[in-house]
Amino acid sequence: MALVGARRSLCLAQGARSFSGSSVARAAQKAPIQVYGLEGRYAHALYSAAASKNVLKEVEDDLKRLDVKRGSIFTEYLINPAEHRTLKLRIIDDALKDAKCNEVTRGFFRTVTEANRVRKIEAIIKGFNQIMTASRGEVLCMVTTATKPDQKVLDQIKTILGGFVRKDQKVVMDVKVNPGLIGGMVVEVGDR
């Protein structure tokens, strides 16, 4: 039994190494921000693998197209413990090929499935998206208001928020309405 476990660990380690590329490529493909935790390690490995093959945009588009939210049919199949891992890997790979996903995206799903980290996939993709946003020089600003603001007010908010970011960064606003707010707005700039 110990031999099987050691063999599986070796296979996973080799798969993860081939997924993330060589150590030389990883050093050359450093992410612009650091995402921490287990999810961050996988997000950085995905970024590194995609950057080393120059397919960052394709991988980002693949992940946006796939429905990996908690409760989706795809995600529920991935986390189903009743499915045998080998069969699951084959079906996932065929489904991603049919969806015309990039090889790096397919490798990411294989690695996450083999390592039994599928329950973390939504957080990993969120981390990857944070890295991609930072690589484009964008800063996500969450604006929550009591009522939907008109375009003139949104433009004014965007101009004001531009003063909180560096000159080489671009403000990307995500506006939400929360009628529970009595007045004013709640603004989150980046991770602040």
Side-chain angles (χ1 to χ4, degrees), residues 22-63:
S22 71
S23 60
V24 173
R26 270 196 314 275
Q29 307 301 330
K30 187 167 176 9
I33 62 168
Q34 183 67 36
V35 180
Y36 296 98
L38 179 71
E39 299 87 355
R41 281 184 279 181
Y42 278 88
H44 281 281
L46 177 58
Y47 179 85
S48 178
S52 68
K53 295 190 187 283
N54 202 25
V55 292
L56 282 168
K57 181 69 176 140
E58 290 89 343
V59 170
E60 183 178 32
D61 292 343
D62 287 346
L63 296 176

Side-chain angles (χ1 to χ4, degrees), residues 121-136:
I121 202 159
E122 194 174 347
I124 294 167
I125 293 172
K126 181 181 176 189
F128 176 76
N129 289 335
Q130 288 174 336
I131 295 169
M132 288 300 296
T133 299
S135 73
R136 288 189 294 268

Side-chain angles (χ1 to χ4, degrees), residues 15-177:
R17 276 195 296 276
S18 66
F19 166 64
S20 64
S22 71
S23 60
V24 173
R26 270 196 314 275
Q29 307 301 330
K30 187 167 176 9
I33 62 168
Q34 183 67 36
V35 180
Y36 296 98
L38 179 71
E39 299 87 355
R41 281 184 279 181
Y42 278 88
H44 281 281
L46 177 58
Y47 179 85
S48 178
S52 68
K53 295 190 187 283
N54 202 25
V55 292
L56 282 168
K57 181 69 176 140
E58 290 89 343
V59 170
E60 183 178 32
D61 292 343
D62 287 346
L63 296 176
K64 285 180 183 175
R65 275 187 302 129
L66 297 171
D67 185 18
V68 292
K69 299 285 186 245
R70 188 63 85 188
S72 72
I73 293 171
F74 184 66
T75 306
E76 291 304 313
Y77 177 75
L78 288 174
I79 63 175
N80 184 353
E83 293 293 334
H84 192 272
R85 192 175 291 163
T86 308
L87 176 63
K88 192 184 294 188
L89 286 167
R90 191 175 326 124
I91 290 172
I92 290 168
D93 203 44
D94 289 345
L96 295 177
K97 279 182 187 173
D98 289 345
K100 304 213 182 326
C101 289
N102 186 285
E103 178 57 38
V104 174
T105 305
R106 293 197 316 261
F108 164 68
F109 277 94
R110 274 192 305 272
T111 301
V112 169
T113 303
E114 287 172 351
N116 201 24
R117 303 289 191 206
V118 177
R119 292 187 187 278
K120 302 275 188 183
I121 202 159
E122 194 174 347
I124 294 167
I125 293 172
K126 181 181 176 189
F128 176 76
N129 289 335
Q130 288 174 336
I131 295 169
M132 288 300 296
T133 299
S135 73
R136 288 189 294 268
E138 298 173 347
V139 176
L140 182 61
C141 298
M142 304 285 292
V143 178
T144 307
T145 60
T147 59
K148 183 169 175 35
D150 61 11
Q151 190 58 45
K152 183 179 176 185
V153 172
L154 289 175
D155 291 341
Q156 289 174 339
I157 294 170
K158 192 170 188 173
T159 302
I160 292 168
L161 291 176
F164 290 97
V165 298
R166 295 189 322 251
K167 297 291 182 211
D168 61 335
Q169 293 178 319
K170 178 179 145 189
V171 172
V172 176
M173 287 194 332
D174 184 12
V175 180
K176 295 183 180 179
V177 176

